[in-house]
Short mmCIF file of all heavy atoms in Angstrom, two decimals:
data_model
loop_
_atom_site.label_atom_id
_atom_site.label_comp_id
_atom_site.label_asym_id
_atom_site.label_seq_id
_atom_site.Cartn_x
_atom_site.Cartn_y
_atom_site.Cartn_z
N VAL W 72 9.13 -4.73 9.85
CA VAL W 72 10.30 -5.10 9.02
C VAL W 72 10.21 -4.47 7.64
O VAL W 72 9.75 -5.06 6.68
CB VAL W 72 10.46 -6.63 8.90
CG1 VAL W 72 11.82 -6.93 8.25
CG2 VAL W 72 10.32 -7.32 10.23
N SER W 136 18.75 5.22 -26.49
CA SER W 136 17.54 4.98 -27.28
C SER W 136 17.89 4.14 -28.51
O SER W 136 18.94 4.34 -29.11
CB SER W 136 16.93 6.28 -27.75
OG SER W 136 16.73 7.13 -26.65
N GLN W 167 29.43 10.37 -26.08
CA GLN W 167 28.33 11.31 -25.86
C GLN W 167 28.10 11.51 -24.36
O GLN W 167 27.92 12.61 -23.87
CB GLN W 167 27.04 10.75 -26.46
CG GLN W 167 26.81 11.03 -27.94
CD GLN W 167 25.42 10.49 -28.34
OE1 GLN W 167 25.26 9.30 -28.56
NE2 GLN W 167 24.43 11.39 -28.43
N HIS W 308 13.94 -22.45 -12.83
CA HIS W 308 12.56 -22.02 -13.10
C HIS W 308 12.53 -21.18 -14.39
O HIS W 308 11.61 -21.32 -15.22
CB HIS W 308 12.06 -21.21 -11.89
CG HIS W 308 10.65 -20.71 -12.01
ND1 HIS W 308 9.54 -21.53 -11.89
CD2 HIS W 308 10.16 -19.47 -12.23
CE1 HIS W 308 8.45 -20.82 -12.03
NE2 HIS W 308 8.80 -19.56 -12.24
#
Side-chain angles (χ1 to χ4, degrees):
Chain W
V72 190
S136 306
Q167 275 185 280
H308 181 74

